[in-house]
Amino acid sequence: MRNKRSMILKRKILPLLTALILIFAFSSCNKNNKNGPTDGAGDNNNGYSVTLKDSYDREVNLDKEPERIVSVAPNITEIIFALGKQDKLVGRTDFCDYPEEAKNIESIGNIDQPNVEKIVELQPDVVIASSIFTKEMLQKLEEANIKVAIFQAEKDFEGVYNMIEKIGLLLNAREEAKNVVTEMKEKIEFVKSKVDGLEKPSVYYVVGYGEFGDYTAGRDTFISRMIGMAGGKNAADDVEGWKYNIESLLEKDPDILICSKYYDTKEGIKNTDGYKELSAVKNGKLFEIDNNMLDRQGPRIADGVLELAKIIHPEVFK
């Protein structure tokens, strides 16, 4: 029974872990174009015209408001919903599962290997992807005369704000994008005001563990910055990237462990050699979180910082 459960968890967790590391590996090495969200916008005979630079420094031109959109990343899908343009969304990836209504939209496959033929079949006015989208796929879609815009946030919140505003410009939802960004900034400032001056407990964020390998958010990651904004100190600030080891973790023995609320991760950690010896696990300081609020650089990252802060400093959020 235990071996069967282990195989089921492996089938579920490994694709998720692979997707997460792929997304952030690409974002770590990608350098965004710094042009603002209003690179070029004006009216033509149709009342809409936009020109902007995407994260590959490509000029994207649209002379009419897109009526059919394909998203090739979960954070892009969430942004489109937040902007109120979900009725234009005709395709999304297997990982685009929020909000719930997104699951009703036709899937075009995985994040890193979407079905190009399916995308072409959907006849989108624009495909919006993250920088994990390969040059080969980009070329295939361009050869099919399909417009593609690729957006990836920098490793800070300003990059996310800029990305949301650029997508808002592209989709003729500039005011909606401005409102989304304003609400995010207000939430972040609220958290900062709450945790300012408090002691910073050490926090270890569990991405992978045990037989799946030991993975966390190193000091150069977006999630590490979120932990700091929430009033914690990243216990894995001695490494860059995502790979860690149980020996270092045992030596650090952080005050708090945080893990995904999915796939029985908490129970798995509590029963895994090494991890079950940590003080945080023994003392009831292992907490669950909806990791999608941390992993996806979209509108919900502000909610992710708030949820982290509630875990790290529950005393100020009563």
Side-chain angles (χ1 to χ4, degrees):
M1 179 64 73
R2 184 171 181 176
N3 289 338
K4 183 177 180 181
R5 180 177 179 272
S6 176
M7 290 299 295
I8 292 172
L9 284 174
K10 183 176 287 189
R11 286 197 297 269
K12 288 182 177 180
I13 292 175
L14 286 182
L16 184 66
L17 177 60
T18 300
L20 171 63
I21 293 173
L22 276 171
I23 289 170
F24 283 102
F26 273 77
S27 69
S28 295
C29 64
N30 182 55
K31 297 297 181 184
N32 280 358
N33 179 272
K34 286 293 188 178
N35 291 334
T38 56
D39 295 351
D43 292 332
N44 64 5
N45 293 333
N46 298 321
Y48 170 95
S49 177
V50 68
T51 299
L52 55 76
K53 290 287 186 71
D54 72 1
S55 296
Y56 279 177
D57 203 27
R58 300 166 54 254
E59 193 169 271
V60 181
N61 303 288
L62 291 178
D63 57 10
K64 66 175 184 176
E65 182 177 344
E67 295 295 327
R68 297 179 64 81
I69 306 164
V70 168
S71 166
V72 196
N75 64 319
I76 301 295
T77 297
E78 293 191 20
I79 290 170
I80 292 170
F81 270 85
L83 298 178
K85 293 293 183 177
Q86 62 270 19
D87 59 323
K88 313 290 186 182
L89 196 57
V90 297
R92 51 95 190 180
T93 74
D94 293 341
F95 288 92
C96 298
D97 55 8
Y98 184 90
E100 188 69 23
E101 302 93 296
K103 296 178 183 178
N104 299 324
I105 298 165
E106 193 160 1
S107 175
I108 48 88
N110 292 328
I111 301 170
D112 56 331
Q113 291 291 330
N115 187 325
V116 175
E117 290 74 19
K118 183 63 181 177
I119 294 174
V120 173
E121 181 184 314
L122 290 171
Q123 299 182 321
D125 297 314
V126 65
V127 172
I128 308 178
S130 70
S131 60
I132 196 173
F133 200 66
T134 67
K135 297 278 181 76
E136 179 186 1
M137 291 176 191
L138 173 60
Q139 183 179 353
K140 287 181 180 180
L141 290 177
E142 287 181 331
E143 288 172 354
N145 294 317
I146 292 176
K147 298 279 187 178
V148 181
I150 300 171
F151 296 108
Q152 179 63 54
E154 293 275 354
K155 293 184 290 183
D156 57 38
F157 272 64
E158 287 302 320
V160 177
Y161 300 149
N162 182 265
M163 177 175 63
I164 292 171
E165 289 172 343
K166 280 200 170 190
I167 293 175
L169 174 63
L170 192 69
L171 303 185
N172 199 20
R174 297 173 72 174
E175 283 303 311
E176 291 86 347
K178 181 180 177 181
N179 292 337
V180 169
V181 169
T182 297
E183 185 177 332
M184 292 173 69
K185 288 181 176 179
E186 289 174 350
K187 194 166 291 184
I188 293 301
E189 288 306 312
F190 168 73
V191 172
K192 287 182 176 179
S193 69
K194 285 287 197 178
V195 303
D196 184 46
L198 301 179
E199 286 190 23
K200 297 179 179 294
S202 58
V203 178
Y204 183 86
Y205 177 64
V206 182
V207 176
Y209 66 95
E211 64 180 295
F212 307 112
D214 301 303
Y215 293 92
T216 188
R219 64 173 175 267
D220 60 330
T221 63
F222 197 91
I223 293 173
S224 180
R225 288 169 174 79
M226 294 174 76
I227 291 171
M229 294 169 73
K233 180 183 183 299
N234 185 8
D237 61 2
D238 55 330
V239 299
E240 293 185 353
W242 301 93
K243 192 73 177 76
Y244 211 64
N245 63 79
I246 188 62
E247 292 79 17
S248 294
L249 179 58
L250 286 166
E251 183 180 343
K252 290 289 189 74
D253 199 20
D255 300 311
I256 295 171
L257 255 66
I258 299 176
C259 68
S260 170
K261 72 175 186 178
Y262 302 109
Y263 311 120
D264 293 324
T265 304
K266 183 175 181 179
E267 285 304 309
I269 291 171
K270 288 166 66 175
N271 291 288
T272 296
D273 290 340
Y275 287 83
K276 64 184 180 182
E277 305 304 323
L278 294 168
S279 298
V281 175
K282 290 180 176 180
N283 298 332
K285 295 294 183 179
L286 169 60
F287 300 97
E288 296 175 304
I289 195 169
D290 183 349
N291 60 283
N292 292 327
M293 294 191 296
L294 313 183
D295 304 341
R296 301 176 180 179
Q297 294 175 323
R300 289 195 294 161
I301 57 170
D303 297 316
V305 172
L306 177 58
E307 290 306 308
L308 283 172
K310 287 180 178 179
I311 290 171
I312 299 168
H313 292 290
E315 70 279 4
V316 297
F317 291 96
K318 292 180 179 178

